[in-house]
Amino acid sequence: MITIEGTVEDIVFTNEVNGYTVCDIRHENNTITAVGYMPFINIGETLKISGKWVTHPDYGEQLKVEMYEKRLPETTEAIEKYLASGIIKGIGPSTASKIVKTFGEDTLNIIQFDPGRLAQIKGISMEKAIRIGQAFEEQKELRDVVMFFQEFGISPTYSTKIYKVFGDKTIEEIKANPYKLADEIFGIGFKVADRIAKSLGIDPLSKYRICSGIKYVLSQAAANGHTYVIVEKLKEYTSQLLEVEVDNIDNALVSLMLDKSICMEKEDDESRIYLTAFYHAEIGVCKRLMELSAISFTIDMGQFDKSLDEVQYEEGITLAENQKLAVRKALTSGIMVITGGPGTGKTTIIKSIIKLLDNEGYEVALAAPTGRAAKRMSEATGFEARTIHRLLEIGYMGTDNELVFARTEANPIDADVIIIDEMSMVDILLMNHLLKAVAPGTRLILVGDVDQLSSVGAGNVLKDIISSDMIKTVKLTEIFRQAEESMIIVNAHRINKGERPYLNVKGKDFFFLPRNNPDDIVKTVVELCSKRLPNTYGYDPMRHIQVLTPTRKGIVGVGNLNIELQKILNPQAKYKTEKEFRGFIFRDGDRVMQVKNNYNLRWQKPGTEAQGEGVFNGDMGLIQKIENDEQKITILYEDEKVVEYEYSILDEIEPSFAVTVHKSQGSEFPVVIIPLYPGPQVLMTRNLLYTAVTRARDLVILVGSENTLYEMIKNERETLRNSGLAEKMRKCFLGPL
């Protein structure tokens, strides 16, 4: 084995997921090419590497690295190059030059042990100096953590996530209980934690292991929408996972119940096991729904009819009898549900209710589960709508920045009436938080399409509420005349009823382009976005056209479609900066989507004083600028908000030239293109197709196999969810739980 020490001159390639790197290293007077797993190395760093010489057929002689160690540079030239690489946040080439000129070979000692002295340099405040010192120390700790987990095949990306949770005690805590990785780090499964535990010599019958295995099975069930697992099934799955006897699982179940990590519920002849949060959420939602349903309000019917006539006249609308019934129930009930498909008048009813109540001086609050859904609600009604999280005034508390809601039972939402749209997206945990903040005497109106895809989170809230028959519900089925002119709406209802849609009706807005080969499907989708739709209709592919696909993987999946669309819609150019992350190369000008709620991210609107915090799951925007030195990406969102992302949170954004149908819930786009190619039966379902079609406002284009289209319409399969809410509601009606 050969060992050399040198300075990284250039990084030719790096895979940020697994740390595989190709780089040029200056050793004495020669430059060699090194290849291997070397995560988090930067230009200017000094490395001690060990490996073997290999000959690549195209690139010649390379050193295949088997071990490497980072060394801090010692000469002023090497130190300046090291700092100028951007390795320490807050130091770019100009600042690096100033620091090294001031402190020379003592620079790194100053940064590590006395960073306050950096404030002597013009342009560096004391606050910035301290931040630079902290960044240097964190980088050292993080490097140790990355090296520790590298032995177990954990990628640098996940090592960083682990470090953020456990900090400087990461290695110590994981050695004591590796199963914390499965319990506390999203994306690291039990099997990975178990493999690490075995390597560290943890007993296979360890209490940590069996308890973690049980919680993992329950968490996996929750990720698939289930609030509970039947005890026999739980034991079976856990036994298979751990390869242990059922007796050991029984003991662990008792232990978990004693420390209140799980709850057991008897229903008929079966026992159900819940993670505690889901059990209490179902109980809480049930009780509060029943309490609200017990409240009724009286109104003067004569005055109501007169006021409703005035609203209809002002708005230029005529309500059908079922719509008037919905408005009346909304005014007289403590809680009610309005459900129906597109074109059935849900928005018209909401506007009428708001107008009536607003005229009477009532305080009305509107909300939806996501930012895009709230924006759509605002545009449709003309009244401000917020996300449910914003309505509940989410914030952070304590040193761990724990997410909490300011609006609770002790501090309820300040409104006389609360209207929640897109209820099909609301899971059991969020519903519980919402209902806690609804004061007795406040009217609650729930609006949604029960035939849409279920919530991403666990539970079956809207369907359970309706199927319980315990809450007043108005079901809208009539498609109104104006809506009947749209083939999008007509076909959405036909699909929902299991009927074949009308395809390519002349002069209408619903088209099908037959393509049987997946490559041809992708080619056609790209042509539609880049040429045919912009040239024929004037649609902007970056703002008006959205590709929705059922799958993430495969040729017609999200991953490949984003790569192919990016090539044409935002091709590589010398003036465009790039940043690779998770196998995708983000580029200046790319279209991206925020994929989780982040209430801490600051935004501002250039040219105005408007600023605030919060970017939400489903928000879409364009990359304005990528700054590799400062390690940040700037994104301009659709509502003119500008947000800066540090590289450490890039997992919160994804390319969005194409997105999954699930990610599109609650959104509306002028044009929707849906590629159709055979995929897993669990995904290729009627309600997924129905959800995709109903995301379009002006135009739907299906591209693909006609047989796949009809198979999806026939596939009524909905993943049945274990959810006890409806049963609890019926039982609660008969007596206390």
Side-chain angles (χ1 to χ4, degrees):
M1 188 177 291
I2 297 162
T3 299
I4 65 169
E5 188 172 313
T7 303
V8 180
E9 286 207 326
D10 187 27
I11 294 176
V12 181
F13 168 80
T14 185
N15 182 328
E16 296 207 10
V17 174
N18 61 20
Y20 184 82
T21 303
V22 179
C23 64
D24 290 336
I25 294 180
R26 186 73 175 172
H27 171 60
E28 296 176 349
N29 293 320
N30 299 314
T31 299
I32 66 164
T33 298
V35 299
Y37 294 95
M38 295 175 282
F40 292 159
I41 68 166
N42 292 269
I43 293 172
E45 286 191 296
T46 301
L47 298 184
K48 182 179 180 182
I49 58 177
S50 300
K52 297 177 182 176
W53 290 109
V54 295
T55 302
H56 190 281
D58 296 324
Y59 304 114
E61 196 172 51
Q62 301 174 332
L63 185 64
K64 187 176 181 182
V65 177
E66 296 180 13
M67 293 192 320
Y68 84 101
E69 179 185 344
K70 289 190 179 187
R71 297 287 184 90
L72 290 176
E74 296 176 355
T75 67
T76 54
E77 182 184 358
I79 291 169
E80 183 174 339
K81 194 169 186 178
Y82 169 74
L83 294 177
S85 70
I87 190 169
I88 298 175
K89 190 180 172 188
I91 300 180
S94 174
T95 305
S97 176
K98 291 178 185 177
I99 294 173
V100 174
K101 278 181 183 175
T102 304
F103 299 111
E105 292 181 359
D106 204 27
T107 293
L108 297 181
N109 285 329
I110 297 294
I111 293 174
Q112 184 171 6
F113 301 111
D114 195 8
R117 289 179 62 188
L118 297 175
Q120 298 172 18
I121 298 168
K122 188 177 179 181
I124 300 181
S125 65
M126 180 59 73
E127 183 183 0
K128 183 175 181 179
I130 298 303
R131 281 205 310 268
I132 289 172
Q134 289 171 340
F136 185 86
E137 186 61 31
E138 285 173 5
Q139 187 208 56
K140 179 179 177 297
E141 291 170 357
L142 176 57
R143 186 164 66 238
D144 293 340
V145 169
V146 169
M147 297 302 291
F148 172 75
F149 283 114
Q150 191 180 19
E151 293 180 37
F152 307 110
I154 302 289
S155 73
T157 301
Y158 277 109
S159 296
T160 305
K161 280 189 173 184
I162 296 165
Y163 176 74
K164 283 183 179 178
V165 173
F166 299 109
D168 59 0
K169 290 186 169 50
T170 297
I171 295 173
E172 178 186 334
E173 292 215 21
I174 299 310
K175 279 184 175 179
N177 179 10
Y179 296 100
K180 284 186 174 183
L181 293 172
D183 294 345
E184 300 185 40
I185 306 298
F186 178 77
I188 292 190
F190 174 83
K191 291 182 180 178
V192 173
D194 202 34
R195 178 163 48 79
I196 293 172
K198 287 178 182 175
S199 299
L200 294 172
I202 303 292
D203 185 351
L205 295 179
S206 157
K207 175 186 170 183
Y208 288 142
R209 180 172 188 257
I210 298 173
C211 287
S212 181
I214 291 169
K215 287 191 286 185
Y216 174 71
V217 170
L218 289 170
S219 296
Q220 288 296 102
N224 290 317
H226 305 292
T227 58
Y228 68 83
V229 177
I230 296 169
V231 68
E232 287 79 12
K233 287 289 184 185
L234 177 62
K235 290 179 183 179
E236 178 187 334
Y237 298 149
T238 307
S239 176
Q240 291 172 356
L241 175 73
L242 302 179
E243 298 179 344
V244 300
E245 296 296 324
V246 171
D247 289 347
N248 295 299
I249 297 170
D250 283 333
N251 294 334
L253 281 170
V254 172
S255 177
L256 287 169
M257 279 188 271
L258 287 173
D259 70 18
K260 299 183 179 178
S261 294
I262 65 172
C263 295
M264 179 183 285
E265 176 184 75
K266 298 265 188 186
E267 182 63 37
D268 296 328
D269 294 329
E270 66 182 28
S271 294
R272 300 170 175 180
I273 304 294
Y274 288 78
L275 287 169
T276 299
F278 295 111
Y279 178 74
H280 288 306
E282 279 194 356
I283 295 287
V285 168
C286 170
K287 286 185 174 179
R288 290 179 179 87
L289 286 174
M290 300 310 291
E291 287 167 1
L292 289 170
S293 70
I295 299 171
S296 61
F297 301 89
T298 57
I299 59 173
D300 183 327
M301 290 308 301
Q303 183 59 45
F304 168 79
D305 290 336
K306 182 181 176 183
S307 299
L308 191 56
D309 286 342
E310 289 174 359
V311 168
Q312 291 180 85
Y313 177 75
E314 288 172 11
E315 296 293 319
I317 58 174
T318 302
L319 295 176
E321 285 306 312
N322 205 27
Q323 290 180 305
K324 290 180 181 178
L325 173 65
V327 176
R328 189 159 53 246
K329 281 189 175 181
L331 269 61
T332 57
S333 306
I335 180 171
M336 74 162 296
V337 174
I338 302 171
T339 185
T344 57
K346 296 193 298 294
T347 301
T348 303
I349 292 170
I350 294 172
K351 288 175 72 175
S352 300
I353 293 168
I354 296 169
K355 199 79 176 176
L356 279 169
L357 292 166
D358 191 52
N359 289 344
E360 293 296 320
Y362 288 96
E363 186 71 29
V364 182
L366 309 183
T370 67
R372 288 185 70 87
K375 183 181 177 184
R376 186 181 174 193
M377 191 181 189
S378 296
E379 291 169 349
T381 63
F383 291 83
E384 183 193 1
R386 291 169 282 175
T387 65
I388 296 173
H389 290 82
R390 276 294 184 212
L391 180 68
L392 296 173
E393 297 179 15
I394 196 165
Y396 295 84
M397 185 179 74
T399 55
D400 295 332
N401 275 340
E402 180 188 358
L403 281 172
V404 294
F405 293 112
R407 294 294 180 176
T408 60
E409 290 166 290
N411 181 32
I413 297 165
D414 187 16
D416 302 305
V417 183
I418 300 169
I419 303 176
I420 306 295
D421 198 10
E422 296 288 353
M423 268 299 301
S424 62
M425 300 174 67
V426 178
D427 61 47
I428 192 68
L429 296 179
L430 182 57
M431 190 64 177
N432 189 38
H433 285 298
L434 172 65
L435 291 175
K436 282 180 182 177
V438 178
T442 299
R443 293 177 174 88
L444 179 62
I445 302 166
L446 309 177
V447 185
D449 184 347
V450 75
D451 294 314
Q452 297 275 4
L453 290 169
S454 297
S455 59
V456 174
N460 225 4
V461 176
L462 183 60
K463 287 181 181 176
D464 279 355
I465 290 173
I466 293 171
S467 67
S468 73
D469 289 326
M470 295 291 109
I471 304 298
K472 289 179 183 176
T473 301
V474 174
K475 297 180 181 178
L476 305 172
T477 56
E478 180 185 354
I479 306 175
F480 291 96
R481 189 177 302 164
Q482 186 178 0
E484 284 181 335
E485 297 174 5
S486 166
M487 276 297 120
I488 296 173
I489 290 174
V490 169
N491 282 337
H493 285 272
R494 289 183 66 83
I495 289 167
N496 200 32
K497 290 187 286 188
E499 299 171 0
R500 293 188 174 192
Y502 299 121
L503 303 176
N504 303 327
V505 177
K506 189 174 181 181
K508 294 296 184 178
D509 52 11
F510 197 103
F511 297 95
F512 177 77
L513 303 179
R515 301 287 188 275
N516 292 318
N517 182 292
D519 292 317
D520 290 340
I521 293 173
V522 173
K523 182 180 177 183
T524 302
V525 168
V526 172
E527 285 177 354
L528 285 166
C529 292
S530 60
K531 296 177 182 176
R532 293 166 66 173
L533 290 173
N535 294 344
T536 305
Y537 299 99
Y539 287 117
D540 180 350
M542 290 296 198
R543 296 189 300 120
H544 301 140
I545 303 170
Q546 185 60 58
V547 178
L548 301 180
T549 179
T551 62
R552 282 195 164 271
K553 298 179 180 178
I555 295 175
V556 297
V558 163
N560 185 59
L561 279 168
N562 272 311
I563 291 170
E564 295 302 319
L565 287 164
Q566 184 197 43
K567 286 178 186 176
I568 304 299
L569 299 179
N570 189 31
Q572 190 174 26
K574 288 184 179 179
Y575 61 88
K576 295 178 183 177
T577 309
E578 297 180 345
K579 167 65 179 174
E580 185 191 5
F581 185 75
R582 286 185 173 174
F584 184 82
I585 299 174
F586 286 109
R587 185 175 295 145
D588 288 341
D590 270 351
R591 184 175 173 177
V592 293
M593 173 188 273
Q594 175 79 9
V595 295
K596 64 178 287 190
N597 291 333
N598 186 325
Y599 301 92
N600 246 359
L601 268 178
R602 294 198 61 79
W603 56 262
Q604 60 180 8
K605 293 189 177 182
T608 74
E609 294 183 0
Q611 58 181 326
E613 294 181 342
V615 186
F616 306 107
N617 185 12
D619 286 352
M620 286 189 179
L622 299 176
I623 293 178
Q624 273 193 323
K625 186 166 53 175
I626 297 176
E627 299 175 84
N628 284 321
D629 282 353
E630 293 297 315
Q631 299 182 28
K632 66 182 181 182
I633 289 180
T634 303
I635 296 173
L636 172 65
Y637 280 98
E638 291 173 336
D639 49 6
E640 303 305 315
K641 293 176 181 175
V642 173
V643 181
E644 289 185 352
Y645 287 77
E646 296 181 357
Y647 282 0
S648 61
I649 58 167
L650 285 189
D651 58 348
E652 293 189 11
I653 61 170
E654 290 181 358
S656 66
F657 298 100
V659 301
T660 63
V661 179
H662 285 83
K663 276 292 177 190
S664 74
Q665 284 181 270
S667 300
E668 183 181 72
F669 309 97
V671 181
V672 166
I673 300 172
I674 307 168
L676 297 175
Y677 190 72
Q681 285 291 298
V682 69
L683 288 176
M684 310 301 285
T685 62
R686 179 189 298 176
N687 73 328
L688 183 135
L689 178 62
Y690 170 75
T691 301
V693 166
T694 55
R695 299 307 93 204
R697 187 179 69 222
D698 302 337
L699 192 62
V700 166
I701 304 176
L702 307 177
V703 182
S705 159
E706 195 165 356
N707 185 56
T708 300
L709 170 62
Y710 297 141
E711 286 298 320
M712 287 184 77
I713 293 169
K714 284 193 294 183
N715 183 7
E716 291 185 80
R717 174 177 179 173
E718 282 187 58
T719 305
L720 295 177
R721 294 187 166 197
N722 290 340
S723 170
L725 179 60
E727 291 163 321
K728 286 182 175 65
M729 290 174 69
R730 296 188 197 104
K731 194 180 286 187
C732 192
F733 179 73
L734 297 172
L737 288 168

